[in-house]
Amino acid sequence: MAELATIARPYAEALFKVIMPAEQRGAIEQLDLLAALTAEPQVRQFADNPRVSTEQVFNVITGALPAPLWPALQNLLRTMLENGRLVALPEVATQYRALVNAGSGVSDALVYSAFPIDEAQGVEVLAALEKRFGRKLNATVQIDPSLIGGIRVVVGDEVYDGSVKARLEQMKVALTA
């Protein structure tokens, strides 16, 4: 939704300017928790209730988090609540992560694997993917048994599909052509 991206951009940029580079990774973790919590339908319904004050919503959200929220993130949450923009918080988290990654020359990679990848394999796979994509990657692995074997990697809008499923599809297309 383009509107949410437009709403979220100034918040993400302001947060990026306020948080020190050494603290950015920790801020991403807290912001991701906050975004996940505010994306819950019950939280949104509670926040949209006209009988509930923004302070009550703030207290419920911060009380549900496992650790105290950093002051900069508290200010962000209060500002978004006061302006009725809580719905854009997950997009703020996404855009903030993109700003941090761009500033450090790192990209997020989503690796789909048919089977669990142990730590030693993960290091090898990550090194090969960094070479393939030409940049440092933060990899997240998700298990997808439908791939049959191999991996499928998504980095931004780039996709590498080395799965058995993709190769079978290519063979099917070649045989039926």
Side-chain angles (χ1 to χ4, degrees):
M1 183 182 282
E3 294 173 8
L4 283 181
T6 303
I7 292 168
R9 187 174 301 111
Y11 291 106
E13 289 173 352
L15 194 60
F16 184 71
K17 290 177 184 175
V18 169
I19 295 181
M20 304 301 291
E23 299 173 335
Q24 289 174 338
R25 290 290 162 198
I28 286 174
E29 291 175 15
Q30 278 205 334
L31 195 55
D32 285 345
L33 285 172
L34 190 60
L37 183 63
T38 59
E40 289 294 321
Q42 295 93 348
V43 174
R44 289 227 179 118
Q45 184 179 11
F46 180 71
D48 291 340
N49 187 337
R51 292 188 219 156
V52 177
S53 71
T54 57
E55 190 61 30
Q56 289 172 314
V57 175
F58 177 84
N59 290 336
V60 166
I61 292 172
T62 56
L65 294 170
L69 203 56
W70 291 4
L73 295 174
Q74 286 181 14
N75 292 340
L76 172 73
L77 180 58
R78 282 187 198 282
T79 302
M80 293 187 80
L81 284 169
E82 289 168 2
N83 293 321
R85 307 288 184 157
L86 190 64
V87 70
L89 204 126
E91 181 63 24
V92 171
T94 301
Q95 289 191 22
Y96 179 75
R97 178 184 294 275
L99 288 169
V100 170
N101 287 344
S104 62
V106 176
S107 295
D108 287 329
L110 188 52
V111 179
Y112 297 95
S113 175
F115 302 101
I117 298 175
D118 66 30
E119 196 169 324
Q121 289 174 323
V123 170
E124 289 178 27
V125 168
L126 187 58
L129 290 173
E130 287 176 348
K131 185 176 180 182
R132 162 84 169 75
F133 287 99
R135 58 187 171 269
K136 187 114 175 86
L137 299 174
N138 286 332
T140 304
V141 178
Q142 286 188 356
I143 306 301
D144 183 0
S146 72
L147 295 178
I148 303 170
I151 62 171
R152 180 174 185 268
V153 183
V154 179
V155 179
D157 59 351
E158 296 178 72
V159 177
Y160 166 75
D161 199 342
S163 66
V164 172
K165 179 181 178 181
R167 291 182 190 215
L168 288 173
E169 286 295 324
Q170 289 172 351
M171 288 172 56
K172 177 182 171 186
V173 168
L175 290 171
T176 58

